[in-house]
Structures are given as structure tokens and as C-alpha cells.
Amino acid sequence: MQSDERHRRILARARSDGRVEVSEIATELSVAPETIRRDLRVLGEHGLVRRTHGGAYPVESAGFETGLTFRTRSHVPEKRRIAIAAADRLGDAETVFVDEGYTPQLVAETLPTDRPITVITASLPTAEALAAVPSTTVLLLGGRLRGRTLATVDHWAVQMLGDMVIDLAYLGANGISRDRGLTTPDPAVSAVKGQAVKVSRRRIFVGVHTKFGVSSFSRFADVTDFEALVTDSALSVAEANRYAAMGPRVIRT
């Protein structure tokens, strides 16, 4: 089997399963593990995967984005810890933007229910999760519904946000890096996120460690736009300090 064909099959497996293991794919393709490690190194150099111990996971790009099914299965304990830590930073905010995605949804579900809060979101799952909470008013942004994430986008959502002044925004991203900021594969999603950044007085990033050092297609914010970056403890202390040196507090849960 030629290297190009191996690369294609390795990438396809990583994207379908969310991760590829060296030992498993080596057996499947009938090649030595060292061959797979070289293949992963090449794919990593092209920005298609991120290598981990014993394997790799796919990097989201303009041509590939994970859906809700994968996100609700991946790193769930870490995401729940992130949600608790992020919700603890609510402070006196009364109006809160909650981004699309599973981690922001978990933040929304962790917000206090003993005082009135207005939540603005483009996410149908988040709106549904909060709809029965008596103390929470949910404002669902209009627009085109993306089937992959069940969130609204395009000018309707952007215009609605443009008329608001929001106390606090909880935002996710497909990638966050010190030099390229926060990015996402779809420019339509990026426009909604970027507008939320503009109209919010405070901004908190929530995301697992695999988001760090990754760049996707469309940029919507800088690291310096955020008061805090809330992630899990698998982000190294050294890397956390590099982001903290740019201004935001980095919270490793």
C-alpha cells in the first residue's frame, strides 16, 4: 500500500472515530507501528492530526468538523469539571450568552437557578435544556439551523446579537492558539461568535486541552479578549503560563 493511501485511510479513521491508535491501525493496514508513526508525523506536519501518546486525533478544519454526537462522548468528565469552574465565575451577570457546543451547554446547565438570569444562545440543545427552569429566560437567536451542531447562524443571528449589550459570554472554539487566536471551521459560525465577543462586557473561554495550539479556518477573537480560559488539567502548566502571560487567567480543572 502506497503512503498516500495509508494517509487517506488513517485520516478517515481518525475523523470517523475521533481518534486513531497506532497499534490498531498498524494491524489493520498490515504495516509496522513505526510506519504508522511516520505517517502520523506527516499528517501532523500538514495540520490534519494532533499526535498523542499511542495515536492521534483529527484537527478540525474548513473541510472537517465534529458533530454533537462525537462531542457528547468525548472528554465528558473533563467538560463537566470545566463547566462547574466556568459557572462559578458568573459573578453578578444577569444576561449571559452561551455559545453552541456541548461544553457551553454544560455551563448553561450548571448556572444557578436561585436568581433570575437571561440566557442568549444560538444552540437548540441549550435552549431546550433551560426551557423548564423557572428563573431563567431563554432568548433563542434566529437564523439558518446547522444540522451538525443544531445551532443557528447567518445574518439573522448576528443582527439580533448586535442590538444587545450582554454581561458575560461563555464561548467555545474549535481551536485556540497564542498567535492565531480563537478559530472555527465555518465563517457563518465565526460571525455569530465574533458578534458575541463584541457585545459582551466579559468573556470566558471554555474548552478541553485538545483545543489549545490548534488553528482552524475562520478567526473570531484574540486570546486577549478573554478574562479567563477554563480548561482541564491535561494542559501543561508551562503552556497554561504562556497563555496567562497574554492577560487572561488560565484555570485548569
Side-chain angles (χ1 to χ4, degrees):
M1 182 183 297
Q2 297 296 315
S3 60
D4 287 349
E5 176 63 14
R6 283 199 315 274
H7 295 168
R8 185 189 66 78
R9 292 181 61 174
I10 292 169
L11 184 59
R13 171 61 64 85
R15 288 178 169 179
S16 65
D17 294 354
R19 178 178 170 83
V20 62
E21 300 287 346
V22 169
S23 58
E24 292 179 4
I25 198 69
T27 300
E28 179 180 326
L29 300 182
S30 301
V31 296
E34 184 54 39
T35 299
I36 298 299
R37 293 189 186 96
R38 287 197 298 268
D39 291 336
L40 291 177
R41 187 159 50 246
V42 172
L43 291 171
E45 290 170 353
H46 285 82
L48 297 172
V49 301
R50 286 284 298 275
R51 298 180 66 191
T52 61
H53 180 70
Y57 59 87
V59 172
E60 295 180 287
S61 64
F64 169 71
E65 182 182 7
T66 58
L68 274 178
T69 301
F70 171 76
R71 297 178 189 185
T72 56
R73 298 196 315 255
S74 172
H75 299 290
V76 174
E78 292 90 340
K79 290 176 180 178
R80 293 193 183 279
R81 293 198 303 270
I82 290 168
I84 292 171
D88 283 345
R89 297 189 63 84
L90 177 68
D92 59 0
E94 297 178 347
T95 55
V96 180
F97 175 81
V98 177
D99 201 0
E100 66 169 58
Y102 188 56
T103 306
Q105 177 185 334
L106 292 176
V107 175
E109 294 174 1
T110 311
L111 293 174
T113 58
D114 58 351
R115 63 183 175 94
I117 296 175
T118 297
V119 171
I120 304 96
T121 187
S123 166
L124 265 65
T126 295
E128 182 180 17
L130 299 181
V133 180
S135 60
T136 301
T137 299
V138 180
L139 300 181
L140 180 62
L141 300 176
R144 173 175 60 89
L145 183 65
R146 298 179 74 232
R148 181 169 291 276
T149 59
L150 295 181
T152 55
V153 293
D154 290 341
H155 66 276
W156 299 278
V158 173
Q159 287 177 0
M160 286 182 69
L161 276 172
D163 293 331
M164 300 178 186
V165 178
I166 298 173
D167 294 330
L168 172 62
Y170 290 108
L171 290 141
N174 298 76
I176 175 172
S177 72
R178 286 177 285 124
D179 54 344
R180 295 183 176 89
L182 283 76
T183 53
T184 191
D186 191 330
V189 176
S190 180
V192 176
K193 292 175 181 283
Q195 186 74 304
V197 170
K198 290 178 183 177
V199 303
S200 299
R201 294 188 176 99
R202 300 167 53 210
R203 294 160 293 274
I204 294 175
F205 167 78
V206 291
V208 294
H209 69 280
T210 58
K211 305 287 187 179
F212 286 78
V214 173
S215 296
S216 189
F217 177 61
S218 184
R219 176 174 177 160
F220 65 88
D222 294 320
V223 172
T224 54
D225 291 325
F226 291 79
E227 71 172 50
L229 312 177
V230 187
T231 186
D232 59 89
S233 58
L235 182 72
S236 70
V237 173
E239 188 69 356
N241 288 339
R242 294 185 188 102
Y243 282 89
M246 300 179 70
R249 179 181 178 186
V250 180
I251 301 169
R252 300 164 62 250
T253 60

